[in-house]
Amino acid sequence: MAAKRKRGALAAGKAKRARSAPSAGEAVPEGGPRERSVPPQEYSIPPPVSQGKWKNKERVLIFSSRGINFRTRHLMQDLRTLMPHSKADTKMDRKDQLFVINEVCEMKNCNKCIFFEAKKKQDLYMWLSNTPQGPSAKFLVQNIHTLAELKMTGNCLRGSRPLLSFDPIFDQEPHYALLKELFIQIFSTPQYHPKSQPFVDHVFTFTITDERIWFRNYQIIEEDASLVEIGPRFVLNLIKIFQGSFGGPTLYENPHYQSPNMHRRLIRLSVAAKFREKQQVKEVQKIKKKGTKVLVREDPTEVVFETPAEEKPVEIQLVKPESKPIVKDKKKLRKIQRKKQKKLFRTEG
């Protein structure tokens, strides 16, 4: 039979395990347990990853309207993956007004918003807004390539903080300077964010070319500090900048912007003009064929090369020619010709 345990034996055992190593100033009692050397690292608690405090509490709401295609849905999911300080929401009905988004952001406790608006199931617009005061900007999104495409060979740590690289033109124009500040507040991950990692291994680049903003995401390789594209990539064509959030007075309107409807209309007009030009060429050719031909005067030098043909005597045949027998078989025809030749030789002899 096993010996009975004394009361408090288990508690004493637990207390022994939880007891830390004695400091230099403390004395160990004589009647206590046996002394053993315990390294101090075994009882020390590792420090947290982030030593600082999360002060810049930027939260970005990323969602879309109904009617988007698969490519837009993948782009939206890629942005949520790259931005750990973002939140998601259900799709908004197209009948609702845009100022309702300010209330949605307030319920989600977000002060920035990226809203994708789809029209005609082929045109995609992006709204970047600072809710609820403003300002906000509306862009036309073009040339979308998502993160899952095979041409993007780079890779980065999930939740890592990116570097933001801007074109020097952003500091020359006032509307570009406003957009730069908006991009910094939306796309930069706040320091010491709970979901972020304390690493910087990729770069967001914003380049202005052809009156458009080109977005690229590159991985930083440690060996030679070269860049490899991760994705996604897209082009933003600025339409307007508003003073308020999703509306209000217009601060800037892009004079170089051309709507997709106008672009498609110009393409149709150019195709129709080519078709009309072909029809006109065909009609001109028909008129030329039907018109009277202009007579060219005779060249007197052409007579030099003409040679008169020899005149043959005209023979008049008074006897009707013999009718030739119609024979389908060639062998019979040859036999008949031989008989006629034999008759001729006999008469001549």
Side-chain angles (χ1 to χ4, degrees), residues 64-78:
S64 67
S65 64
R66 297 194 179 276
I68 61 173
N69 54 9
F70 71 97
R71 190 176 291 274
T72 306
R73 186 173 65 254
H74 290 175
L75 174 64
M76 186 171 58
Q77 189 63 35
D78 293 344

Side-chain angles (χ1 to χ4, degrees), residues 162-195:
L163 293 174
L164 298 184
S165 174
F166 290 93
D167 196 281
I169 305 177
F170 277 97
D171 300 327
Q172 299 175 4
E173 300 289 338
H175 61 280
Y176 283 140
L178 177 61
L179 290 178
K180 179 181 177 180
E181 185 63 29
L182 194 61
F183 288 148
I184 290 173
Q185 295 182 13
I186 290 177
F187 287 97
S188 62
T189 303
Q191 194 174 10
Y192 308 123
H193 191 276
K195 293 184 180 180

Side-chain angles (χ1 to χ4, degrees), residues 63-78 91 94 116-125 141-146 149 264:
F63 72 117
S64 67
S65 64
R66 297 194 179 276
I68 61 173
N69 54 9
F70 71 97
R71 190 176 291 274
T72 306
R73 186 173 65 254
H74 290 175
L75 174 64
M76 186 171 58
Q77 189 63 35
D78 293 344
K91 295 179 181 178
R94 284 179 290 185
F116 292 95
E117 184 181 8
K119 290 185 179 180
K120 295 187 177 181
K121 296 184 178 181
Q122 55 183 345
D123 301 331
L124 179 64
Y125 298 92
V141 187
Q142 299 171 329
N143 301 334
I144 299 173
H145 296 276
T146 58
E149 294 186 9
R264 288 190 287 267

Side-chain angles (χ1 to χ4, degrees), residues 26-307:
E26 295 179 359
V28 180
E30 297 178 357
R34 270 190 277 176
E35 296 181 3
R36 52 181 179 175
S37 61
V38 180
Q41 291 82 4
E42 185 176 353
Y43 295 94
S44 63
I45 301 172
V49 175
S50 60
Q51 296 290 344
K53 188 178 180 182
W54 180 31
K55 297 180 180 179
N56 182 22
K57 297 189 177 182
E58 297 282 354
R59 299 181 181 90
V60 183
L61 181 64
I62 302 176
F63 72 117
S64 67
S65 64
R66 297 194 179 276
I68 61 173
N69 54 9
F70 71 97
R71 190 176 291 274
T72 306
R73 186 173 65 254
H74 290 175
L75 174 64
M76 186 171 58
Q77 189 63 35
D78 293 344
L79 290 179
R80 289 174 183 169
T81 305
L82 293 172
M83 300 165 63
H85 61 292
S86 63
K87 291 186 178 182
D89 195 18
T90 57
K91 295 179 181 178
M92 195 181 75
D93 196 357
R94 284 179 290 185
K95 295 181 181 179
D96 296 339
Q97 299 295 328
L98 291 177
F99 62 83
V100 180
I101 302 175
N102 296 325
E103 300 177 3
V104 177
C105 293
E106 187 178 357
M107 289 188 292
K108 288 284 183 177
N109 195 17
C110 296
N111 52 3
K112 299 290 184 296
C113 180
I114 299 177
F115 178 67
F116 292 95
E117 184 181 8
K119 290 185 179 180
K120 295 187 177 181
K121 296 184 178 181
Q122 55 183 345
D123 301 331
L124 179 64
Y125 298 92
M126 178 191 285
W127 286 83
L128 300 179
S129 176
N130 180 21
T131 57
Q133 293 86 9
S136 60
K138 185 179 180 182
F139 302 90
L140 174 67
V141 187
Q142 299 171 329
N143 301 334
I144 299 173
H145 296 276
T146 58
L147 192 65
E149 294 186 9
L150 295 177
K151 66 178 71 174
M152 312 296 184
T153 57
N155 193 9
C156 66
L157 182 67
R158 186 185 180 94
S160 61
R161 300 179 65 234
L163 293 174
L164 298 184
S165 174
F166 290 93
D167 196 281
I169 305 177
F170 277 97
D171 300 327
Q172 299 175 4
E173 300 289 338
H175 61 280
Y176 283 140
L178 177 61
L179 290 178
K180 179 181 177 180
E181 185 63 29
L182 194 61
F183 288 148
I184 290 173
Q185 295 182 13
I186 290 177
F187 287 97
S188 62
T189 303
Q191 194 174 10
Y192 308 123
H193 191 276
K195 293 184 180 180
S196 66
Q197 299 290 339
F199 304 103
V200 177
D201 58 352
H202 62 113
V203 186
F204 288 163
T205 62
F206 298 89
T207 310
I208 297 175
T209 306
D210 194 19
E211 304 296 335
R212 291 171 175 82
I213 301 172
W214 300 63
F215 175 85
R216 295 290 185 271
N217 181 20
Y218 296 99
Q219 175 195 0
I220 303 173
I221 301 177
E222 297 180 0
E223 286 78 8
D224 53 354
S226 61
L227 300 178
V228 179
E229 189 170 0
I230 305 173
R233 59 160 69 169
F234 52 87
V235 179
L236 299 177
N237 191 359
L238 178 63
I239 302 174
K240 285 184 180 181
I241 301 176
F242 300 96
Q243 184 176 356
S245 177
F246 296 97
T250 303
L251 299 179
Y252 176 78
E253 184 174 0
N254 187 7
H256 306 284
Y257 171 72
Q258 188 182 57
S259 64
N261 293 331
M262 180 60 67
H263 181 67
R264 288 190 287 267
R265 180 174 177 270
L266 293 176
I267 291 175
R268 289 196 299 270
L269 288 176
S270 63
V271 173
K274 288 182 180 179
F275 180 75
R276 283 197 300 269
E277 187 178 355
K278 288 182 180 179
Q279 293 296 325
Q280 289 175 1
V281 171
K282 288 181 180 179
E283 290 177 359
V284 170
Q285 290 177 353
K286 287 181 181 179
I287 293 171
K288 286 183 179 180
K289 289 179 180 179
K290 291 180 180 178
T292 56
K293 295 182 180 180
V294 180
L295 296 176
V296 183
R297 296 179 181 179
E298 294 182 357
D299 190 4
T301 58
E302 290 182 356
V303 188
V304 177
F305 301 100
E306 292 182 358
T307 54

